[in-house]
Structure formats: C-alpha cells, structure tokens
Amino acid sequence: MPLTPTRDVFITCAVTGAGDTTSRSDKVPVTPAEIAAASIEAAKAGAAIAHIHVRDPETGKGARDPALYREVVERIRDSGVDMVLNLTAGMGGDLVLGSPERPLPPAADGTDMAGAEERLVHIAELKPEICTLDCGTMNFGEGDYIMTNTPAMLKAMAARIQALGVRPEIEIFDTGHLLLAKWLKDQGLIEDPVMVQLCMGIPWGAPDDIPTLMAMVQNLPADWTFSAFSIGRNQSPYAALALAAGGNIRVGLEDNIWLKKGVLASNGDLVAQAVKIAEGMGSRVLSPAEVRQKLKLERRW
C-alpha cells in the first residue's frame, strides 16, 4: 500500500467543546467573548475552520442557547478575521439513565433530549458554512451517560441540514457510525463533497491505534474528504497520522488541554504546533478561501 500523505491540508480547531475541561484549565474559553477570541486566535495561527460549541457563561457547562451562538458568530464577523465556521449540532442528544437498577426515568441532571428541529435552531438562524452531525449512538464515560442519535433522528437532522444549504461534517466515533453515514448518503441526504471527522480514542468508541485508524480510512469512499483526531496526549501525534493517512487535521482544547507535559495549551498554541507538523512533513496548510473552494462552501456573513 503506497504512502499517500495529504499535500494540501486544512486544520480545524475545536476551541472549547462541552466537557468538564474548564475545571482543569483556565485557558478553556467559556463566555461568547472568550470563545470568539479563541476562534480568532486559532485562525491567526493557521486554522482554516473553527469548530464551535457554546457554554453557559455562569456554570461553564455545555449549552445550546441560540443567543450564545449568535454572539460568538457576530463577534467573529465583526473582527474581520476570515475563518470557516463549523457550529456543533451535537447538543440535545444527551441521555443519562437513572441507575443500573432503576434506569427509568432518566436522570434530570445531565439529560437533554430535544427534537431534530430544536437541535438545529441555531443552524437555521445563523447558516454557518458547516455544522456537525454525530452519526450514531455511543456510551460515554463510566456512568450512565449515552450520546443518543438514532437512525430516524439522523435522517431528520440530515434532511433539515440539507434543506438549509449547510455542509454537514459527519462525526464518526466507531465503525458502525461510518455505515450510518454511507446509509444517509445512499438515500440522498448528504451531498457531495462528503466531509467526515474520524473521532478516535474516545471511550467507548474506536481506539486510536494505527490499525483501527487505517481500517476506518480504508472503508471510506475514495471521494470523501476526512479529518481525524485523538484526545489527550495523542492529539499531536494524530496530526501527523491523519496527514500521513491522506486526511486533514483537527486540534483544539475540546480534545486536549496540554501543549506538552506540565504545560497547559491555548488553542493558538495547538494550531501553531499542528502547522509545524504539517509543514515539517512537506505539506501546505490551506487558507479558509481554499477550503471553501475545496468543500464547495457558501459563505453568508
């Protein structure tokens, strides 16, 4: 099998996520102003795409209030710094069962189950170039939390995203999720060019070892564009692995808070490190304008 690394690579920065990283690093952005500033920092460091969650400014927990997204987008727009916006649509599928002995009713703390339309309110309002579609259901952590995305929910969300003219980034956490993505494509609910994010190393999904990554990559249709990342200490090695496997790069504080052992990172630090890795491997880092052309994106702001 020949080595075919990506020669023109784009970098996505996932700037904050929804997990409990704020208790472990004061560099994780929380407020809309901080999230916008982190996105701008990442873009200036070389990221073409900013992947954006929002958080409750009071608690720091993940949120899906459209007003928070609107403020982030407006602050980025007003800055004049160019970047491709990728807003998450993953919130609203959080199910926390009651306990192993009494799973029902679900626990009120942590459960947030919303309909397809409600999960996409901010996408309909703000029309980003990209939004995520988490293509499957999966256990998270060691408790009773389940990321819930049924086939029927995915069909409804994919159809709505398509109607809005937004490019979905299909997030794949395990091999069965890839089959769901192909199923949606076969039904005409995902349009070309298809964009996939391989999310590796997240318990209890696909492990981030090289054979599993290559098994996922080799099962992707040849004309699909993919990125890949791993969490924690393997984020930087995965920048090199993803590129070597023919894909693109994702880094950011959503997935990893460390620059190196004992040194907390900023989003700009992680992007700058990824740029060095890409350029050191002989690849050219694409600009936002080049990514729009590659992925046939429509900028509306």
Side-chain angles (χ1 to χ4, degrees):
M1 181 177 176
L3 186 65
T4 55
T6 310
R7 295 306 181 194
D8 293 314
V9 63
F10 61 81
I11 297 173
T12 296
C13 185
V15 298
T16 188
D20 186 25
T21 48
T22 55
S23 66
R24 296 185 287 129
S25 173
D26 60 0
K27 296 181 182 293
V28 176
V30 173
T31 68
E34 292 169 348
I35 294 168
S39 302
I40 293 163
E41 175 193 36
K44 289 181 176 179
I49 303 174
H51 172 55
I52 296 171
H53 288 248
V54 294
R55 294 177 180 266
D56 183 322
E58 300 298 324
T59 66
K61 292 183 178 180
R64 54 183 177 87
D65 182 350
L68 297 175
Y69 283 103
R70 187 185 315 113
E71 183 177 348
V72 172
V73 170
E74 288 177 349
R75 285 178 178 273
I76 291 172
R77 179 196 63 202
D78 292 345
S79 75
V81 176
D82 190 21
M83 70 190 77
V84 174
L85 293 185
N86 175 352
L87 303 187
T88 186
M91 306 299 288
D94 302 317
L95 175 63
V96 181
L97 299 180
S99 72
E101 293 299 326
R102 299 192 65 181
L104 297 178
D109 186 18
T111 294
D112 178 29
M113 295 294 292
E117 193 80 17
E118 185 178 351
R119 290 177 68 172
L120 294 167
V121 166
H122 61 300
I123 305 301
E125 179 181 331
L126 299 170
K127 300 285 182 61
E129 291 148 294
I130 302 170
C131 73
T132 60
L133 183 63
D134 295 347
C135 217
T137 296
M138 192 174 109
N139 293 318
F140 264 80
E142 298 180 2
D144 293 300
Y145 168 56
I146 303 169
M147 179 184 77
T148 309
N149 297 286
T150 65
M153 176 64 78
L154 290 171
K155 282 183 67 175
M157 291 183 69
R160 179 62 173 147
I161 292 167
Q162 185 180 57
L164 292 169
V166 175
R167 177 78 61 206
E169 180 192 67
I170 310 301
E171 297 212 335
I172 306 293
F173 295 82
D174 213 343
T175 52
H177 299 180
L178 178 53
L179 295 177
L180 276 168
K182 291 179 178 179
W183 177 69
L184 292 172
K185 178 65 167 65
D186 289 343
Q187 295 179 80
L189 295 172
I190 302 174
E191 296 179 358
D192 294 322
V194 179
M195 180 184 183
V196 170
Q197 185 72 250
L198 301 179
C199 310
M200 310 295 291
I202 302 169
W204 305 97
D208 62 2
D209 57 78
I210 295 174
T212 301
L213 172 65
M214 293 313 300
M216 301 275 269
V217 170
Q218 289 167 12
N219 276 285
L220 288 170
D223 60 345
W224 288 19
T225 297
F226 78 94
S227 300
F229 74 92
S230 184
I231 61 173
R233 66 191 301 172
N234 283 342
Q235 182 178 88
S236 290
Y238 244 75
L241 281 174
L243 192 155
N248 298 280
I249 295 170
R250 166 169 149 171
V251 294
L253 294 181
E254 175 174 352
D255 310 315
N256 164 52
I257 62 173
W258 301 102
L259 183 62
K260 57 184 178 180
K261 188 174 182 179
V263 179
L264 290 169
S266 70
N267 282 293
D269 292 334
L270 295 172
V271 173
Q273 186 177 67
V275 170
K276 287 182 180 179
I277 290 169
E279 293 180 342
M281 293 176 67
S283 298
R284 185 176 69 90
V285 177
L286 296 176
S287 69
E290 290 172 314
V291 171
R292 289 189 185 97
Q293 184 175 17
K294 177 182 178 69
L295 297 176
K296 298 181 181 178
L297 302 175
E298 181 180 351
R299 183 177 182 178
R300 299 182 178 89
W301 57 277

